[in-house]
Amino acid sequence: MLPQWVYTIDFFSPKRLPTHKVLVGDLPLGSQYPIRIQSMVTANTMDTKAVVEETLRLVEQGCEIVRITAPNKKAAEHLAEIKKELRRRQCKVPLVADIHYTPSAALVAAKIVEKVRINPGNYVDKKRFQYKDYSEAEWNAALERIYERFAPLVKVCKEHGTALRIGVNHGSLSDRILSRYGDTPQGMVESAWEFLKICEDLNFDQVVLSMKASDPRIMVHAYRLLAHRMLKHGKCYPIHLGVTEAGSGLDGRMKSAIGIATLLAEGIGDTIRVSLAEPAEAEIPVAKQIVQWSQCSKVGNQPVNYTLPYDPYAFNTPRTIFSLWKDVTPWIILPYGAQQCDMIWNPTGEKTEKPTLVPLANYKNQADTYPLLENPEQSFQGIHFVALDLSFPIERLSLPEGRILVVRVSDIGQSIQLRGWLVRYWEQLRSTPVVLRLQPPENLTSSDYGLWAATIAAPLLIDKLIQGIWLEPTTHLSLKALEEIAQTLLQSARLRITQTEYIACPSCGRTLFDLQTATEKIKKHTKHLKGLKIAIMGCIVNGPGEMADADYGYVGAGPGRIHLYRGKTIVRRNVPEDQALQALIELIKSDGKWHDPC
């Protein structure tokens, strides 16, 4: 018996998870307030001028909360100078101190800034990839140690009116949590819950929770599980959303949208941060667009509650509702002009457009980009599409085997309606694949197309509810660009791997090399290695963990020094930065995974 869905969902007009009010300075967070947008400065914390100028640029773009790293007590103390200068310049944006490894720095920062973020995975526990079976006595002793180290911070926050974020990162779960729960969303929730219980024991509720991961699927399922846990608990805390180490460019934006938009469309999330390996101010317009496009207008006025016929937490379990198509890689349908594959039929039998259908499953090497078919009619003889409007009652539709439904959507509300429709007619559709046809708004720019497509398709892609995507072009969007968007969309949801995968952190004051430049150089020289995962991390805070499933890691070790990893094992230490890219290429070559660009 599969568990009931995380909480009561109205698929036709989703409502916000009822989170209570938390004040970050004078800025309220919670479900009764707008979704707040935040970011993090990349400048060195000890450089007051650089931090202040970057903060002002962020605020000018619309950033409502600004985070600054405080890696030690000296940096935490220096936050007072930064805050003083910002207030002198009439900037009242709430500041957040980002703390890792140093509880003493958190105690200092909590008396200065409006909010402190701690990471349960490294605040007391450690991560050395050492696993053991804990007895109950050992486990309880660890919890007592956490209480002793964490309770003083809670008391300081309570005394000074400072908010607190318990910010879990998938890549920095402690060895203790990994030993009992594994590298799972459940482990992420349990890690946060240990710290939350201490806050509640001390009657402190000005707490925000986050469950970040670089894989949007893990991120989504962790937040869903957290929402479920809080509702059972009887009190919901504000939620901070983000896909960490999303990378840069198109893939960074689309990966962020897949995770964040899915949850916003389900009513989960009170503040968001888009993490890009680019200048911090580039994150704000992206975050604004995701929030805007994730707002559901009501597409029905009757609440409809469902028990899902699948487990929404089983992100790593192969599943598809299409029993006859379960081994078929999701399709991409693009408008290749005169080339046609088959007629599309609507329920009345009227012929409409004729696209080209190119399923990757027809080719043995799934890491290769699909070729154009010279004679697509022959390749898909006997397969017909049925164009179906969501208002059409499917019980009146009799489909012969082999038909494919195509459903057009143009906003997030329609995507949510389609999800409800697919669940309602689950049994009728078990042998009928559904293709999502994305119809962009007329005023959409070519540069925004990818972000828009990822936002609108997100709720359907994460749970594998569709078997293909069909992208409509815009006036100035080339076919090549449309193809890249389609591939990136499916790769961001981990449904079809056709590109090099980059896990790149957004940089911060802890980073001791030019991460943004390094990321672009690495992408330039390795983007032809399709299917390979390369992590580019500014420091060791999340590096070895967040990149654990990457093939190779490029991690900052000190000023101008890089550690190179194979998986989560260091293979070269302290490589000079000007030699690190070539050393990475040599490492890939030595493993037989390199080939020259075509």
Side-chain angles (χ1 to χ4, degrees):
M1 183 68 178
L2 293 173
Q4 191 169 354
W5 178 231
V6 287
Y7 59 96
T8 300
I9 281 189
D10 173 357
F11 278 96
F12 292 89
S13 52
K15 299 177 177 60
R16 293 270 294 274
L17 181 74
T19 57
H20 79 268
K21 178 180 177 180
V22 168
L23 279 173
V24 184
D26 295 327
L27 186 74
L29 296 182
S31 56
Q32 58 184 312
Y33 302 101
I35 295 164
R36 308 298 187 183
I37 293 171
Q38 57 181 282
S39 185
M40 185 173 184
V41 299
T42 62
N44 188 315
T45 306
M46 302 306 295
D47 187 340
T48 304
K49 181 179 179 181
V51 172
V52 168
E53 293 299 331
E54 188 173 9
T55 299
L56 293 173
R57 293 196 301 272
L58 284 168
V59 172
E60 185 178 359
Q61 288 290 323
C63 183
E64 298 170 278
I65 301 172
V66 174
R67 183 156 43 116
I68 306 170
T69 186
N72 49 51
K73 284 184 66 175
K74 184 176 181 181
E77 292 167 350
H78 194 73
L79 293 172
E81 291 299 315
I82 294 170
K83 184 175 179 178
K84 179 181 178 181
E85 179 61 17
L86 284 169
R87 301 302 182 254
R88 187 186 72 80
R89 298 181 66 167
Q90 306 301 312
C91 178
K92 298 181 179 181
V93 67
L95 300 180
V96 183
D98 193 57
I99 304 293
H100 294 273
Y101 303 112
T102 49
S104 58
L107 291 171
V108 172
K111 300 175 184 178
I112 299 170
V113 297
E114 286 76 22
K115 183 179 173 187
V116 171
R117 179 272 174 115
I118 61 98
N119 183 342
N122 56 36
Y123 194 80
V124 178
D125 282 338
K126 302 300 180 184
K127 186 182 186 73
R128 299 187 179 92
F129 296 103
Q130 298 173 351
Y131 306 104
K132 60 175 284 187
D133 291 328
Y134 283 81
S135 67
E136 285 305 306
E138 289 175 319
W139 192 269
N140 291 333
L143 294 181
E144 290 177 7
R145 187 169 63 253
I146 290 173
Y147 191 99
E148 291 173 358
R149 299 291 298 276
F150 182 55
L153 174 61
V154 177
K155 293 175 182 178
V156 171
C157 288
K158 189 174 181 179
E159 178 183 353
H160 289 266
T162 306
L164 178 68
R165 172 155 72 98
I166 301 174
V168 175
N169 267 28
H170 176 243
S172 56
L173 292 176
S174 69
D175 287 352
R176 181 177 59 85
I177 290 292
L178 289 171
S179 295
R180 176 166 288 193
Y181 299 103
D183 197 6
T184 63
Q186 182 185 3
M188 296 171 69
V189 174
E190 294 295 340
S191 180
W193 210 260
E194 293 176 349
F195 282 71
L196 181 62
K197 285 174 64 178
I198 296 171
C199 293
E200 293 189 335
D201 286 345
L202 296 170
N203 297 313
F204 180 70
D205 68 355
Q206 293 298 287
V207 177
V208 179
L209 300 172
S210 64
M211 303 272 121
K212 292 191 176 183
S214 60
D215 185 331
R217 299 170 307 161
I218 295 173
M219 172 262 198
V220 165
H221 291 289
Y223 278 110
R224 286 174 172 175
L225 197 58
L226 174 66
H228 178 53
R229 181 74 170 268
M230 290 196 298
L231 282 158
K232 287 180 63 178
H233 179 62
K235 185 169 186 176
C236 295
Y237 293 83
I239 290 179
H240 169 125
L241 298 182
V243 175
T244 192
E245 285 95 33
S248 62
L250 179 65
D251 53 337
R253 285 159 172 75
M254 295 180 72
K255 193 186 298 183
S256 296
I258 289 289
I260 294 172
T262 296
L263 292 161
L264 290 180
E266 294 173 1
I268 299 172
D270 303 291
T271 178
I272 73 169
R273 190 257 172 120
V274 172
S275 299
L276 298 177
E278 299 178 19
E281 51 266 37
E283 298 176 352
I284 308 305
V286 178
K288 284 182 176 180
Q289 288 285 33
I290 292 174
V291 171
Q292 177 185 337
W293 288 328
S294 297
Q295 301 302 304
C296 293
S297 57
K298 290 188 176 182
V299 290
N301 52 23
Q302 296 297 321
V304 182
N305 301 323
Y306 298 98
T307 298
L308 293 191
Y310 60 86
D311 182 354
Y313 308 128
F315 68 93
N316 58 354
T317 301
R319 176 192 54 76
T320 175
I321 68 172
F322 314 115
S323 58
L324 297 184
W325 301 80
K326 61 183 178 181
D327 296 323
V328 178
T329 303
W331 304 321
I332 291 173
I333 303 178
L334 299 175
Y336 284 102
Q339 294 187 354
Q340 304 164 359
C341 69
D342 200 3
M343 307 304 293
I344 301 175
W345 301 80
N346 62 24
T348 63
E350 180 183 352
K351 299 177 183 179
T352 57
E353 296 96 327
K354 306 174 184 180
T356 295
L357 174 65
V358 190
L360 192 65
N362 281 3
Y363 305 98
K364 293 181 180 179
N365 185 353
Q366 295 197 0
D368 288 341
T369 303
Y370 56 80
L372 300 183
L373 298 180
E374 294 182 1
N375 191 350
E377 290 92 342
Q378 182 179 352
S379 298
F380 298 94
Q381 186 175 5
I383 296 180
H384 290 262
F385 291 90
V386 176
L388 190 65
D389 187 90
L390 284 172
S391 62
F392 190 86
I394 197 171
E395 57 269 18
R396 287 175 45 199
L397 186 66
S398 178
L399 292 176
E401 193 169 291
R403 295 305 195 258
I404 300 173
L405 285 179
V406 177
V407 184
R408 188 200 305 256
V409 303
S410 58
D411 61 41
I412 195 72
Q414 292 175 353
S415 284
I416 294 297
Q417 184 182 5
L418 175 56
R419 182 171 65 178
W421 187 85
L422 290 171
V423 171
R424 175 184 293 174
Y425 299 116
W426 186 273
E427 289 301 324
Q428 294 97 315
L429 293 171
R430 287 191 66 81
S431 62
T432 304
V434 176
V435 170
L436 176 67
R437 184 176 181 181
L438 292 172
Q439 182 67 49
E442 292 183 1
N443 61 348
L444 186 70
T445 64
S446 297
S447 60
D448 284 338
Y449 193 115
L451 183 64
W452 172 84
T455 302
I456 304 307
L460 297 158
L461 292 173
I462 281 289
D463 284 340
K464 305 178 185 177
L465 292 173
I466 54 175
Q467 189 55 57
I469 56 168
W470 174 339
L471 300 185
E472 293 287 341
T474 58
T475 305
H476 302 293
L477 194 66
S478 70
L479 183 58
K480 183 178 180 180
L482 199 64
E483 180 180 342
E484 181 185 4
I485 289 169
Q487 291 175 331
T488 304
L489 179 58
L490 292 180
Q491 177 147 329
S492 296
R494 301 299 196 272
L495 296 178
R496 175 172 169 172
I497 306 301
T498 56
Q499 304 174 2
T500 313
E501 178 80 9
Y502 296 98
I503 303 168
C505 79
S507 186
C508 69
R510 296 186 298 268
T511 304
L512 298 175
F513 68 98
D514 188 344
L515 187 139
Q516 295 166 15
T517 300
T519 298
E520 293 311 308
K521 285 182 179 179
I522 292 171
K523 291 176 75 171
K524 179 181 178 181
H525 287 85
T526 62
K527 63 182 179 181
H528 63 287
L529 303 174
K530 300 185 186 302
L532 207 64
K533 290 185 179 181
I534 299 174
I536 309 154
M537 314 299 289
C539 68
I540 62 170
V541 167
N542 299 315
E546 205 67 73
M547 69 182 193
D549 67 340
D551 299 291
Y552 300 98
Y554 182 107
V555 181
R561 297 285 170 174
I562 306 296
H563 287 342
L564 295 181
Y565 286 70
R566 180 188 290 113
K568 52 191 177 186
T569 303
I570 294 181
V571 293
R572 290 196 60 179
R573 296 177 180 271
N574 295 313
V575 181
E577 185 181 355
D578 60 355
Q579 301 173 27
L581 173 58
Q582 186 57 38
L584 174 64
I585 292 173
E586 290 172 1
L587 177 60
I588 297 172
K589 287 181 176 179
S590 70
D591 290 342
K593 295 183 178 180
W594 179 271
H595 62 83
D596 292 329
C598 297

